[in-house]
Amino acid sequence: MSDLPDALSVLYHDDVLVAVDKPSGLLVHRSWIAREATEFALQRVRDQIGQRVYPVHRLDRPTSGILLFAKDPDTARLMTEQFAERQVLKIYHAVVRGYLTDGVLDYPLKEELDKIADKLADQNKEAQSAVTEYRCIQQIELPFTVSKKHATSRYSLMELTPKTGRKHQLRRHMSHLRHPIIGDSNHGDGRHNRFFREHFGLQRLMLAATTLAFEHPYTKKTVRIELPIPNELLKPFAE
């Protein structure tokens, strides 16, 4: 039995576009990487609005938040071009280990390749430019020993704005800063991930896409879609 909601919350809907709030754990579409998955955001949205939709960007399976679809191939092409040309504002919120302040990280990333899906890709491709702005929203120190080096544990609620769109960019950039996102099984800290599961009952990646702003492909007006920070990300700071 799935823990995912039966219906996705529609955040924006017009004649050519529809945006939904994708829950953590839901794939955008079918993938070789997760063959066991039987539910996908693309099919959910199609069934909810009664017509075919086309993804114009991606969110990782464990990331929640704003996911935009087009209703026809031409609109999908126009929106995909906006994303590719970095004309879309994307803002995320995340909980990271430790105290992190404000800054900008300009750190190129080698493309992460999947052994099966990307077996024909260039394995020696040079690292690509990757830039992330980050701003601290709130910090907390909890009276729990998670790492043997420290009697207490510190966490920061961050606002993250990627200026490029590399695969797993935010997760990898935060890890590079030694402030990994909580719940990240690939780039994170297993001890802190376990603490969040056991103490807070939080088993998800603590990363959410909370703002998406772009130029409408036909009206040319700015569309800004926003979500509040999920309660799951705020829960540790209410201690």
Side-chain angles (χ1 to χ4, degrees):
M1 193 74 171
S2 172
D3 293 329
L4 298 170
D6 292 333
L8 301 183
S9 176
V10 176
L11 307 173
Y12 178 86
H13 193 186
D14 66 17
D15 292 341
V16 294
L17 296 168
V18 58
V20 297
D21 181 3
K22 184 190 85 68
S24 174
L26 182 65
L27 281 167
V28 174
H29 48 63
R30 294 183 186 277
S31 170
W32 285 100
I33 302 171
R35 297 184 183 183
E36 86 291 349
T38 58
E39 297 181 87
F40 312 93
L42 189 149
Q43 282 85 354
R44 288 278 198 93
V45 175
R46 176 199 65 194
D47 293 345
Q48 278 185 230
I49 69 171
Q51 72 173 89
R52 188 173 181 179
V53 293
Y54 303 80
V56 298
H57 69 123
R58 66 172 184 263
L59 285 181
D60 295 338
R61 183 179 189 176
T63 304
S64 68
I66 303 167
L67 182 63
L68 182 68
F69 292 93
K71 292 184 176 181
D72 62 83
D74 288 338
T75 302
R77 176 180 54 79
L78 292 172
M79 289 306 306
T80 300
E81 289 173 358
Q82 278 198 53
F83 278 92
E85 294 169 7
R86 304 177 188 175
Q87 297 172 348
V88 177
L89 172 66
K90 297 176 287 183
I91 298 175
Y92 295 73
H93 283 85
V95 178
V96 305
R97 183 192 70 189
Y99 280 0
L100 181 60
T101 54
D102 301 354
V104 178
L105 178 60
D106 185 346
Y107 179 72
L109 294 171
K110 289 271 291 182
E111 188 172 4
E112 282 193 339
L113 300 175
D114 178 78
K115 291 181 180 179
I116 299 175
D118 299 315
K119 64 181 180 180
L120 300 179
D122 181 1
Q123 303 293 320
N124 300 307
K125 190 175 181 180
E126 289 188 5
Q128 298 173 296
S129 170
V131 179
T132 300
E133 291 183 359
Y134 52 94
R135 184 170 70 91
C136 182
I137 304 297
Q138 191 174 350
Q139 296 178 330
I140 192 168
E141 183 171 14
L142 300 177
F144 298 97
T145 301
V146 177
S147 168
K148 293 181 180 179
K149 294 180 180 179
H150 307 285
T152 61
S153 299
R154 295 176 171 181
Y155 302 98
S156 299
L157 177 64
M158 304 297 299
E159 179 184 279
L160 307 177
T161 306
K163 298 300 182 181
T164 49
R166 307 305 176 201
K167 186 176 181 180
H168 298 164
Q169 177 175 318
L170 298 179
R171 295 158 70 174
R172 296 171 72 188
H173 268 182
M174 291 300 102
S175 179
H176 177 75
L177 291 171
R178 303 294 187 268
H179 294 278
I181 297 174
I182 301 301
D184 188 341
S185 57
N186 293 326
H187 308 283
D189 186 318
R191 295 166 301 179
H192 291 270
N193 295 349
R194 192 178 312 111
F195 171 68
F196 267 63
R197 288 196 302 268
E198 295 175 353
H199 184 75
F200 296 111
L202 297 171
Q203 304 191 44
R204 58 161 291 179
L205 176 69
M206 303 292 276
L207 176 65
T210 50
T211 297
L212 194 67
F214 55 90
E215 181 185 90
H216 193 281
Y218 303 116
T219 68
K220 303 305 179 183
K221 294 181 178 179
T222 297
V223 176
R224 186 180 181 94
I225 306 167
E226 295 181 311
L227 273 176
I229 302 173
N231 289 331
E232 294 160 303
L233 273 64
L234 297 174
K235 184 175 181 179
F237 299 89
E239 283 281 295

